[in-house]
Amino acid sequence: MEQSALLKNVSHLSLEPNPVLVEHAKQRAESVQNRIADRITAFSGSMWFVYIHIIWFASWIGFGVEGYPYGLLTMIVSLEAIFLSTFVMISQNRADAKRQVIAGQQWQTVKEEDKQNEELLKLSNQILELTRAIHASTSPAAGTTPTKSV
């Protein structure tokens, strides 16, 4: 119930993907190796992966494919762990690349906003100088005496 209330509260928000990340994903998808690594990483991080392994280990031991201490099973699982740790590192590198892309875009935005702020400060200073000049030329201390009405 709480989740549906939360979804109602944020349903008005735009969930458009960051255009820089979309471009990065397109570039990444151009490589067959990246697509394969992404699919393996997605599958190995799913519950289906866990269920398949539970069934596989139970079947291996239950059907007596080999006797205790399960040397072949241990070797297979060790090799799988080596490959899965490699895919975890690939996934971390991919996440880091995304962060770098976003950081680069944000840095460009900061530089553009800094330029705009400098221009606004210059304009504000010019307006202030003009305002002071107008006040100086129209104030009574500038040499004109106000006339009294009788």
Side-chain angles (χ1 to χ4, degrees), residues 3 9 41 61-62 87 91 96 99 116 123 132 136 139 141 145:
Q3 186 178 10
N9 288 339
T41 303
I61 294 168
F87 285 110
S91 178
D96 187 50
R99 284 190 292 274
Q116 290 174 354
L123 287 173
R132 285 181 180 160
S139 72
T145 57

Side-chain angles (χ1 to χ4, degrees), residues 53-64:
H53 279 75
I54 289 171
I55 293 168
W56 177 37
F57 295 151
S59 299
W60 188 281
I61 294 168
F63 292 127

Side-chain angles (χ1 to χ4, degrees), residues 69-114:
Y70 310 112
L72 180 60
L73 180 62
T74 303
M75 184 185 73
I76 291 170
V77 170
S78 297
L79 287 172
E80 184 181 38
I82 291 169
F83 282 110
L84 288 176
S85 65
T86 302
F87 285 110
V88 166
M89 288 187 283
I90 290 170
S91 178
Q92 288 173 342
N93 289 341
R94 182 181 64 201
D96 187 50
K98 285 181 182 180
R99 284 190 292 274
Q100 286 296 111
V101 166
I102 289 175
Q105 180 201 26
Q106 288 174 342
W107 178 243
Q108 288 297 346
T109 302
V110 165
K111 289 193 305 188
E112 290 171 9
E113 288 175 349
D114 191 43

